[in-house]
Amino acid sequence: MKILAIESSCDETAAAVVEDGRRVLSSVVASQVNEHRLYGGVVPEIASRRHAEAIVPVVRQALEQADVGLGELDAIGVTYAPGLIGALLVGVNFAKGLSLSTGLPLVPVHHLRSHIASNYISNPELKPPFLCLVVSGGHSHIVMVEDYTRMRIIGKTCDDAAGEAFDKAARSMGMPYPGGIALDKVAEDGDPHAFKLPRPTVHGSPYDFSFSGLKTAVINLLHNSAQKGEKLNRADVCASFRYAVVDCLVTNFVKAAEDLDCKRLVIAGGVSANSLLRRTLSEECAERGWEFYMPEKSLCGDNAAMVGAQAYFELIDGNVAHSDLNAYATMSIENPL
Ligand code: KG4
Ligand code: ZN
């Protein structure tokens, strides 16, 4: 079954053709990040306009690269939530129009579910059930993936997402948006024990996260040293911060797995590209004899191949939308449309 997938939830316009949920025939991503970088973050109005300009050429390129005509497709999958509403609407409206003109079924795909599905592409043998740490710029969830389309939230952040914390800490050190990747690279040369940073926990919720205090702690550290005229070793600050964030993520994730007696762990989302997170969880799982899966780095960030993967399982489950499909800025991963 061949699915054309479309993604426009944030600042990447993407289209892909995916076969049977696991085989990528093409994947095209047009990033707007260089333009948003000028403003230190994504400007929603600019994002919507750029999506509108890019969507036709990006979809055309995806079909050409896959060497697949519209008549050979079985469905159209589209990200409809959560994300920037104006950005999502470009993809949703385009997909609705194409579905109407071709008669192909339209499959609504939840953005975080698609991040999880990137793992079905990178790990062909992976099947639910598993416990997944979904960490992106907007979300940090521990999700029990009971089946391809049945999920339960075990824990989540009560303030900033992990990616957001990385980006804000990086920004306070003068790194361009989105700073998470740059911070990760610089941290490789630093000492993670150079600075003592807090490991915030959420009282009474052992699987939930809180990153805003940690972000403030590193910003205070930088401000205090600047006021005293001291120059901190940037690699050491990056390494200490990265260690603190990864420590919080891994501690809660492993505890949840132990408590739920789940021995198959998976990571997903932009932050799953983080080198320390990948290394630490690989080691923790190997020590315990648990299975561990992660997406290849090129599939960690936003792309449409992962949307095509999840759309396949949603379609099999009978999840088809009609021409009244809307886009939503927020939507639970447990009970989407
Ligand atoms: O999933 P994603 O591409 O977009 C959202 O759905 O939000 O995630 C983007 C986030 C950004 O905050 C970015 O800085 C972060 O993922 N990120 C990283 C790394 N690569 C991307 N954070 C830490 N280390 C990385 N290597
Ligand atoms: Zn994402």
Side-chain angles (χ1 to χ4, degrees):
M1 198 183 284
K2 291 191 183 79
I3 296 183
L4 169 68
I6 295 166
E7 151 67 35
S8 68
S9 67
C10 191
D11 59 347
E12 260 98 32
T13 318
V17 180
V18 182
E19 193 168 30
D20 297 337
R22 305 226 180 215
R23 219 163 68 81
V24 181
L25 303 185
S26 69
S27 178
V28 178
V29 181
S31 177
Q32 314 166 355
V33 73
N34 287 337
E35 193 167 355
H36 295 293
R37 192 167 280 148
L38 300 171
Y39 306 95
V42 176
V43 183
E45 288 80 3
I46 294 178
S48 314
R49 261 182 259 158
R50 295 294 168 262
H51 284 309
E53 288 161 7
I55 191 113
V56 172
V58 165
V59 169
R60 191 171 283 148
Q61 211 181 326
L63 290 169
E64 276 169 14
Q65 276 182 15
D67 198 19
V68 166
L70 286 173
E72 296 166 76
L73 293 171
D74 296 285
I76 299 165
V78 65
T79 312
Y80 74 100
L84 300 172
I85 193 75
L88 286 164
L89 276 170
V90 175
V92 166
N93 284 329
F94 182 87
K96 282 205 290 196
L98 199 58
S99 161
L100 206 66
S101 60
T102 56
L104 290 167
L106 179 64
V107 184
V109 179
H110 188 283
H111 184 61
L112 297 184
R113 286 187 171 206
S114 70
H115 270 301
I116 295 172
S118 64
N119 280 283
Y120 304 136
I121 299 168
S122 298
N123 309 287
E125 72 284 16
L126 175 65
K127 290 191 175 90
F130 55 80
L131 193 65
C132 190
L133 177 70
V134 195
V135 268
S136 70
H139 298 83
S140 298
H141 280 13
I142 296 174
V143 180
M144 187 67 213
V145 181
E146 287 160 351
D147 207 340
Y148 294 100
T149 56
R150 212 175 60 242
M151 317 197 177
R152 195 156 46 90
I153 297 173
I154 305 299
K156 59 180 177 351
T157 183
C158 53
D159 40 56
D160 291 357
E164 195 181 349
F166 271 122
D167 292 343
K168 285 179 179 163
R171 186 179 178 170
S172 63
M173 285 182 265
M175 297 174 187
Y177 174 85
I181 307 165
L183 189 151
D184 187 20
K185 279 207 191 93
V186 176
E188 289 291 299
D189 297 321
D191 173 7
H193 303 285
F195 300 100
K196 262 204 148 36
L197 292 170
R199 303 291 192 266
T201 54
V202 182
H203 186 67
S205 305
Y207 315 128
D208 284 349
F209 304 106
S210 169
F211 293 113
S212 105
L214 186 49
K215 174 196 67 189
T216 309
V218 79
I219 291 172
N220 285 345
L221 175 73
L222 292 161
H223 284 173
N224 289 342
S225 69
Q227 277 165 1
K228 288 188 216 148
E230 289 170 9
K231 199 159 166 38
L232 299 180
N233 180 316
R234 200 162 80 136
D236 284 349
V237 179
C238 288
S240 302
F241 182 76
R242 182 179 69 164
Y243 178 39
V245 174
V246 169
D247 202 11
C248 293
L249 290 172
V250 170
T251 301
N252 292 12
F253 189 36
V254 168
K255 177 161 176 46
E258 277 170 353
D259 294 351
L260 293 166
D261 196 23
C262 181
K263 298 182 171 64
R264 188 177 297 148
L265 271 60
V266 176
I267 55 174
V271 181
S272 68
N274 187 268
S275 334
L276 183 66
L277 181 65
R278 292 167 86 91
R279 278 201 300 272
T280 310
L281 278 170
S282 300
E283 287 163 14
E284 292 281 338
C285 290
E287 261 171 39
R288 291 171 169 80
W290 293 351
E291 292 173 53
F292 177 59
Y293 299 91
M294 49 194 170
E296 59 212 84
K297 282 202 175 181
S298 61
L299 288 178
C300 291
D302 292 345
N303 64 84
M306 66 186 193
V307 180
Q310 184 61 24
Y312 171 75
F313 298 105
E314 299 285 349
L315 181 62
I316 287 179
D317 200 28
N319 187 1
V320 174
H322 300 286
S323 56
D324 60 352
L325 175 67
N326 207 344
Y328 301 89
T330 57
M331 176 69 64
S332 167
I333 194 173
E334 291 181 344
N335 302 304
L337 291 180

